[in-house]
PDB file of all heavy atoms in Angstrom:
ATOM      1  N   GLY A1012      23.167 -25.445  -1.519  1.00 92.00           N
ATOM      2  CA  GLY A1012      22.171 -26.528  -1.543  1.00 92.00           C
ATOM      3  C   GLY A1012      21.249 -26.529  -0.337  1.00 92.00           C
ATOM      4  O   GLY A1012      20.442 -27.448  -0.202  1.00 92.00           O
ATOM      5  N   LYS A1013      21.323 -25.537   0.498  1.00 94.00           N
ATOM      6  CA  LYS A1013      20.475 -25.483   1.677  1.00 94.00           C
ATOM      7  C   LYS A1013      19.060 -25.051   1.316  1.00 94.00           C
ATOM      8  O   LYS A1013      18.855 -24.084   0.599  1.00 94.00           O
ATOM      9  CB  LYS A1013      21.062 -24.524   2.711  1.00 94.00           C
ATOM     10  CG  LYS A1013      20.275 -24.445   4.008  1.00 94.00           C
ATOM     11  CD  LYS A1013      20.912 -23.446   4.970  1.00 94.00           C
ATOM     12  CE  LYS A1013      20.089 -23.327   6.257  1.00 94.00           C
ATOM     13  NZ  LYS A1013      20.691 -22.363   7.209  1.00 94.00           N
ATOM     14  N   GLU A1014      18.066 -25.806   1.795  1.00 94.00           N
ATOM     15  CA  GLU A1014      16.675 -25.454   1.542  1.00 94.00           C
ATOM     16  C   GLU A1014      16.308 -24.171   2.307  1.00 94.00           C
ATOM     17  O   GLU A1014      16.609 -24.024   3.470  1.00 94.00           O
ATOM     18  CB  GLU A1014      15.742 -26.590   2.001  1.00 94.00           C
ATOM     19  CG  GLU A1014      15.936 -27.891   1.228  1.00 94.00           C
ATOM     20  CD  GLU A1014      15.213 -27.860  -0.100  1.00 94.00           C
ATOM     21  OE1 GLU A1014      14.455 -26.915  -0.345  1.00 94.00           O
ATOM     22  OE2 GLU A1014      15.413 -28.800  -0.887  1.00 94.00           O
ATOM     23  N   ILE A1015      15.632 -23.277   1.576  1.00 93.00           N
ATOM     24  CA  ILE A1015      15.233 -21.983   2.149  1.00 93.00           C
ATOM     25  C   ILE A1015      13.711 -21.852   2.058  1.00 93.00           C
ATOM     26  O   ILE A1015      13.117 -22.145   1.007  1.00 93.00           O
ATOM     27  CB  ILE A1015      15.894 -20.807   1.423  1.00 93.00           C
ATOM     28  CG1 ILE A1015      17.422 -20.941   1.436  1.00 93.00           C
ATOM     29  CG2 ILE A1015      15.447 -19.487   2.021  1.00 93.00           C
ATOM     30  CD1 ILE A1015      18.042 -20.853   2.812  1.00 93.00           C
ATOM     31  N   LYS A1016      13.095 -21.439   3.134  1.00 94.00           N
ATOM     32  CA  LYS A1016      11.668 -21.145   3.112  1.00 94.00           C
ATOM     33  C   LYS A1016      11.402 -19.990   4.065  1.00 94.00           C
ATOM     34  O   LYS A1016      11.661 -20.073   5.266  1.00 94.00           O
ATOM     35  CB  LYS A1016      10.843 -22.346   3.524  1.00 94.00           C
ATOM     36  CG  LYS A1016       9.322 -22.086   3.454  1.00 94.00           C
ATOM     37  CD  LYS A1016       8.518 -23.318   3.794  1.00 94.00           C
ATOM     38  CE  LYS A1016       7.033 -23.051   3.706  1.00 94.00           C
ATOM     39  NZ  LYS A1016       6.209 -24.252   4.011  1.00 94.00           N
ATOM     40  N   ARG A1017      10.891 -18.917   3.504  1.00 94.00           N
ATOM     41  CA  ARG A1017      10.543 -17.745   4.307  1.00 94.00           C
ATOM     42  C   ARG A1017       9.129 -17.338   3.929  1.00 94.00           C
ATOM     43  O   ARG A1017       8.773 -17.294   2.758  1.00 94.00           O
ATOM     44  CB  ARG A1017      11.510 -16.582   4.038  1.00 94.00           C
ATOM     45  CG  ARG A1017      12.942 -16.888   4.429  1.00 94.00           C
ATOM     46  CD  ARG A1017      13.811 -15.661   4.251  1.00 94.00           C
ATOM     47  NE  ARG A1017      15.193 -15.943   4.567  1.00 94.00           N
ATOM     48  CZ  ARG A1017      16.179 -15.044   4.539  1.00 94.00           C
ATOM     49  NH1 ARG A1017      15.880 -13.781   4.181  1.00 94.00           N
ATOM     50  NH2 ARG A1017      17.421 -15.367   4.823  1.00 94.00           N
ATOM     51  N   SER A1018       8.332 -17.062   4.936  1.00 92.00           N
ATOM     52  CA  SER A1018       6.932 -16.711   4.664  1.00 92.00           C
ATOM     53  C   SER A1018       6.476 -15.620   5.637  1.00 92.00           C
ATOM     54  O   SER A1018       7.077 -15.405   6.700  1.00 92.00           O
ATOM     55  CB  SER A1018       6.035 -17.939   4.789  1.00 92.00           C
ATOM     56  OG  SER A1018       6.083 -18.475   6.095  1.00 92.00           O
ATOM     57  N   ALA A1019       5.408 -14.958   5.253  1.00 91.00           N
ATOM     58  CA  ALA A1019       4.791 -13.934   6.095  1.00 91.00           C
ATOM     59  C   ALA A1019       3.304 -14.246   6.190  1.00 91.00           C
ATOM     60  O   ALA A1019       2.688 -14.721   5.237  1.00 91.00           O
ATOM     61  CB  ALA A1019       5.003 -12.556   5.481  1.00 91.00           C
ATOM     62  N   PRO A1020       2.707 -13.995   7.349  1.00 92.00           N
ATOM     63  CA  PRO A1020       1.258 -14.263   7.489  1.00 92.00           C
ATOM     64  C   PRO A1020       0.463 -13.316   6.613  1.00 92.00           C
ATOM     65  O   PRO A1020       0.961 -12.268   6.199  1.00 92.00           O
ATOM     66  CB  PRO A1020       1.019 -14.010   8.978  1.00 92.00           C
ATOM     67  CG  PRO A1020       2.087 -13.055   9.378  1.00 92.00           C
ATOM     68  CD  PRO A1020       3.285 -13.432   8.567  1.00 92.00           C
ATOM     69  N   PRO A1021      -0.787 -13.648   6.309  1.00 94.00           N
ATOM     70  CA  PRO A1021      -1.630 -12.758   5.507  1.00 94.00           C
ATOM     71  C   PRO A1021      -1.723 -11.378   6.148  1.00 94.00           C
ATOM     72  O   PRO A1021      -1.861 -11.266   7.363  1.00 94.00           O
ATOM     73  CB  PRO A1021      -2.986 -13.459   5.483  1.00 94.00           C
ATOM     74  CG  PRO A1021      -2.673 -14.900   5.753  1.00 94.00           C
ATOM     75  CD  PRO A1021      -1.500 -14.890   6.682  1.00 94.00           C
ATOM     76  N   MET A1022      -1.628 -10.364   5.327  1.00 94.00           N
ATOM     77  CA  MET A1022      -1.733  -8.992   5.813  1.00 94.00           C
ATOM     78  C   MET A1022      -2.583  -8.173   4.855  1.00 94.00           C
ATOM     79  O   MET A1022      -2.592  -8.447   3.653  1.00 94.00           O
ATOM     80  CB  MET A1022      -0.358  -8.357   5.962  1.00 94.00           C
ATOM     81  CG  MET A1022       0.394  -8.192   4.651  1.00 94.00           C
ATOM     82  SD  MET A1022       2.083  -7.591   4.883  1.00 94.00           S
ATOM     83  CE  MET A1022       2.868  -9.072   5.503  1.00 94.00           C
ATOM     84  N   GLU A1023      -3.301  -7.206   5.409  1.00 94.00           N
ATOM     85  CA  GLU A1023      -4.108  -6.344   4.557  1.00 94.00           C
ATOM     86  C   GLU A1023      -3.210  -5.325   3.907  1.00 94.00           C
ATOM     87  O   GLU A1023      -2.361  -4.699   4.561  1.00 94.00           O
ATOM     88  CB  GLU A1023      -5.199  -5.656   5.379  1.00 94.00           C
ATOM     89  CG  GLU A1023      -6.200  -4.894   4.534  1.00 94.00           C
ATOM     90  CD  GLU A1023      -7.465  -4.524   5.278  1.00 94.00           C
ATOM     91  OE1 GLU A1023      -8.010  -5.398   5.988  1.00 94.00           O
ATOM     92  OE2 GLU A1023      -7.882  -3.357   5.170  1.00 94.00           O
ATOM     93  N   VAL A1024      -3.375  -5.143   2.573  1.00 94.00           N
ATOM     94  CA  VAL A1024      -2.553  -4.203   1.836  1.00 94.00           C
ATOM     95  C   VAL A1024      -3.453  -3.219   1.086  1.00 94.00           C
ATOM     96  O   VAL A1024      -4.638  -3.494   0.865  1.00 94.00           O
ATOM     97  CB  VAL A1024      -1.632  -4.916   0.834  1.00 94.00           C
ATOM     98  CG1 VAL A1024      -0.683  -5.864   1.556  1.00 94.00           C
ATOM     99  CG2 VAL A1024      -2.441  -5.658  -0.221  1.00 94.00           C
ATOM    100  N   GLU A1025      -2.887  -2.106   0.700  1.00 92.00           N
ATOM    101  CA  GLU A1025      -3.646  -1.107  -0.039  1.00 92.00           C
ATOM    102  C   GLU A1025      -3.674  -1.454  -1.520  1.00 92.00           C
ATOM    103  O   GLU A1025      -2.642  -1.753  -2.119  1.00 92.00           O
ATOM    104  CB  GLU A1025      -3.033   0.273   0.171  1.00 92.00           C
ATOM    105  CG  GLU A1025      -3.814   1.392  -0.491  1.00 92.00           C
ATOM    106  CD  GLU A1025      -3.203   2.763  -0.251  1.00 92.00           C
ATOM    107  OE1 GLU A1025      -2.081   2.807   0.309  1.00 92.00           O
ATOM    108  OE2 GLU A1025      -3.826   3.762  -0.618  1.00 92.00           O
ATOM    109  N   ALA A1026      -4.855  -1.426  -2.095  1.00 94.00           N
ATOM    110  CA  ALA A1026      -4.996  -1.560  -3.536  1.00 94.00           C
ATOM    111  C   ALA A1026      -5.091  -0.153  -4.123  1.00 94.00           C
ATOM    112  O   ALA A1026      -6.032   0.582  -3.858  1.00 94.00           O
ATOM    113  CB  ALA A1026      -6.248  -2.376  -3.883  1.00 94.00           C
ATOM    114  N   ILE A1027      -4.097   0.231  -4.910  1.00 92.00           N
ATOM    115  CA  ILE A1027      -4.005   1.595  -5.419  1.00 92.00           C
ATOM    116  C   ILE A1027      -4.839   1.711  -6.700  1.00 92.00           C
ATOM    117  O   ILE A1027      -4.602   0.984  -7.660  1.00 92.00           O
ATOM    118  CB  ILE A1027      -2.554   1.973  -5.728  1.00 92.00           C
ATOM    119  CG1 ILE A1027      -1.666   1.752  -4.483  1.00 92.00           C
ATOM    120  CG2 ILE A1027      -2.465   3.421  -6.196  1.00 92.00           C
ATOM    121  CD1 ILE A1027      -2.029   2.622  -3.316  1.00 92.00           C
ATOM    122  N   PRO A1028      -5.830   2.634  -6.738  1.00 91.00           N
ATOM    123  CA  PRO A1028      -6.566   2.815  -7.998  1.00 91.00           C
ATOM    124  C   PRO A1028      -5.642   3.350  -9.079  1.00 91.00           C
ATOM    125  O   PRO A1028      -4.866   4.288  -8.843  1.00 91.00           O
ATOM    126  CB  PRO A1028      -7.665   3.829  -7.620  1.00 91.00           C
ATOM    127  CG  PRO A1028      -7.169   4.501  -6.377  1.00 91.00           C
ATOM    128  CD  PRO A1028      -6.299   3.518  -5.668  1.00 91.00           C
ATOM    129  N   LEU A1029      -5.685   2.761 -10.268  1.00 91.00           N
ATOM    130  CA  LEU A1029      -4.815   3.176 -11.362  1.00 91.00           C
ATOM    131  C   LEU A1029      -5.422   4.378 -12.066  1.00 91.00           C
ATOM    132  O   LEU A1029      -6.538   4.295 -12.582  1.00 91.00           O
ATOM    133  CB  LEU A1029      -4.597   2.015 -12.337  1.00 91.00           C
ATOM    134  CG  LEU A1029      -3.956   0.765 -11.707  1.00 91.00           C
ATOM    135  CD1 LEU A1029      -3.733  -0.305 -12.762  1.00 91.00           C
ATOM    136  CD2 LEU A1029      -2.643   1.116 -11.022  1.00 91.00           C
ATOM    137  N   LYS A1030      -4.726   5.472 -12.058  1.00 88.00           N
ATOM    138  CA  LYS A1030      -5.214   6.718 -12.606  1.00 88.00           C
ATOM    139  C   LYS A1030      -5.587   6.573 -14.087  1.00 88.00           C
ATOM    140  O   LYS A1030      -4.783   6.079 -14.878  1.00 88.00           O
ATOM    141  CB  LYS A1030      -4.149   7.810 -12.444  1.00 88.00           C
ATOM    142  CG  LYS A1030      -4.618   9.191 -12.848  1.00 88.00           C
ATOM    143  CD  LYS A1030      -3.531  10.212 -12.591  1.00 88.00           C
ATOM    144  CE  LYS A1030      -3.986  11.626 -12.974  1.00 88.00           C
ATOM    145  NZ  LYS A1030      -2.915  12.618 -12.741  1.00 88.00           N
ATOM    146  N   GLY A1031      -6.794   6.965 -14.420  1.00 86.00           N
ATOM    147  CA  GLY A1031      -7.248   6.897 -15.804  1.00 86.00           C
ATOM    148  C   GLY A1031      -7.738   5.552 -16.252  1.00 86.00           C
ATOM    149  O   GLY A1031      -8.128   5.391 -17.408  1.00 86.00           O
ATOM    150  N   VAL A1032      -7.741   4.565 -15.351  1.00 90.00           N
ATOM    151  CA  VAL A1032      -8.182   3.219 -15.718  1.00 90.00           C
ATOM    152  C   VAL A1032      -9.217   2.782 -14.677  1.00 90.00           C
ATOM    153  O   VAL A1032      -8.883   2.102 -13.702  1.00 90.00           O
ATOM    154  CB  VAL A1032      -6.993   2.219 -15.773  1.00 90.00           C
ATOM    155  CG1 VAL A1032      -7.414   0.960 -16.534  1.00 90.00           C
ATOM    156  CG2 VAL A1032      -5.784   2.849 -16.400  1.00 90.00           C
ATOM    157  N   PRO A1033     -10.476   3.158 -14.837  1.00 89.00           N
ATOM    158  CA  PRO A1033     -11.492   2.849 -13.821  1.00 89.00           C
ATOM    159  C   PRO A1033     -11.576   1.360 -13.536  1.00 89.00           C
ATOM    160  O   PRO A1033     -11.474   0.516 -14.418  1.00 89.00           O
ATOM    161  CB  PRO A1033     -12.794   3.353 -14.470  1.00 89.00           C
ATOM    162  CG  PRO A1033     -12.356   4.363 -15.471  1.00 89.00           C
ATOM    163  CD  PRO A1033     -11.037   3.895 -15.985  1.00 89.00           C
ATOM    164  N   LYS A1034     -11.753   1.037 -12.253  1.00 91.00           N
ATOM    165  CA  LYS A1034     -11.926  -0.325 -11.745  1.00 91.00           C
ATOM    166  C   LYS A1034     -10.676  -1.187 -11.907  1.00 91.00           C
ATOM    167  O   LYS A1034     -10.742  -2.400 -11.774  1.00 91.00           O
ATOM    168  CB  LYS A1034     -13.124  -1.002 -12.417  1.00 91.00           C
ATOM    169  CG  LYS A1034     -14.452  -0.300 -12.158  1.00 91.00           C
ATOM    170  CD  LYS A1034     -15.604  -1.040 -12.786  1.00 91.00           C
ATOM    171  CE  LYS A1034     -16.935  -0.335 -12.506  1.00 91.00           C
ATOM    172  NZ  LYS A1034     -18.076  -1.039 -13.091  1.00 91.00           N
ATOM    173  N   HIS A1035      -9.531  -0.563 -12.207  1.00 94.00           N
ATOM    174  CA  HIS A1035      -8.262  -1.267 -12.229  1.00 94.00           C
ATOM    175  C   HIS A1035      -7.426  -0.786 -11.047  1.00 94.00           C
ATOM    176  O   HIS A1035      -7.338   0.422 -10.791  1.00 94.00           O
ATOM    177  CB  HIS A1035      -7.502  -1.003 -13.527  1.00 94.00           C
ATOM    178  CG  HIS A1035      -8.102  -1.665 -14.728  1.00 94.00           C
ATOM    179  ND1 HIS A1035      -7.358  -2.194 -15.745  1.00 94.00           N
ATOM    180  CD2 HIS A1035      -9.401  -1.894 -15.088  1.00 94.00           C
ATOM    181  CE1 HIS A1035      -8.151  -2.701 -16.676  1.00 94.00           C
ATOM    182  NE2 HIS A1035      -9.395  -2.522 -16.274  1.00 94.00           N
ATOM    183  N   TYR A1036      -6.800  -1.715 -10.351  1.00 95.00           N
ATOM    184  CA  TYR A1036      -6.031  -1.392  -9.158  1.00 95.00           C
ATOM    185  C   TYR A1036      -4.667  -2.096  -9.222  1.00 95.00           C
ATOM    186  O   TYR A1036      -4.525  -3.154  -9.835  1.00 95.00           O
ATOM    187  CB  TYR A1036      -6.759  -1.833  -7.876  1.00 95.00           C
ATOM    188  CG  TYR A1036      -8.053  -1.125  -7.624  1.00 95.00           C
ATOM    189  CD1 TYR A1036      -9.213  -1.478  -8.294  1.00 95.00           C
ATOM    190  CD2 TYR A1036      -8.127  -0.090  -6.691  1.00 95.00           C
ATOM    191  CE1 TYR A1036     -10.428  -0.805  -8.063  1.00 95.00           C
ATOM    192  CE2 TYR A1036      -9.321   0.576  -6.445  1.00 95.00           C
ATOM    193  CZ  TYR A1036     -10.465   0.203  -7.144  1.00 95.00           C
ATOM    194  OH  TYR A1036     -11.645   0.856  -6.894  1.00 95.00           O
ATOM    195  N   GLY A1037      -3.702  -1.491  -8.582  1.00 96.00           N
ATOM    196  CA  GLY A1037      -2.386  -2.099  -8.488  1.00 96.00           C
ATOM    197  C   GLY A1037      -2.106  -2.559  -7.054  1.00 96.00           C
ATOM    198  O   GLY A1037      -2.410  -1.855  -6.099  1.00 96.00           O
ATOM    199  N   VAL A1038      -1.547  -3.751  -6.931  1.00 96.00           N
ATOM    200  CA  VAL A1038      -1.128  -4.288  -5.648  1.00 96.00           C
ATOM    201  C   VAL A1038       0.342  -4.651  -5.766  1.00 96.00           C
ATOM    202  O   VAL A1038       0.746  -5.394  -6.695  1.00 96.00           O
ATOM    203  CB  VAL A1038      -1.944  -5.529  -5.246  1.00 96.00           C
ATOM    204  CG1 VAL A1038      -1.358  -6.176  -3.995  1.00 96.00           C
ATOM    205  CG2 VAL A1038      -3.401  -5.140  -5.000  1.00 96.00           C
ATOM    206  N   GLY A1039       1.163  -4.153  -4.859  1.00 95.00           N
ATOM    207  CA  GLY A1039       2.576  -4.484  -4.949  1.00 95.00           C
ATOM    208  C   GLY A1039       3.379  -3.895  -3.795  1.00 95.00           C
ATOM    209  O   GLY A1039       2.893  -3.032  -3.075  1.00 95.00           O
TER     210      GLY A1039
END
């Protein structure tokens, strides 16, 4: 029952272009 909160500050990440799908990118 303990409240949990974990966060990270904003960070720049790489948007991976999806092969064969122009203008579509994956972020994860």
Side-chain angles (χ1 to χ4, degrees):
K1013 182 181 178 180
E1014 296 280 352
I1015 303 295
K1016 182 177 180 179
R1017 298 184 182 182
S1018 61
M1022 65 185 74
E1023 188 165 314
V1024 299
E1025 183 178 8
I1027 306 296
L1029 300 182
K1030 186 177 181 181
V1032 196
K1034 299 183 179 181
H1035 289 217
Y1036 295 79
V1038 172

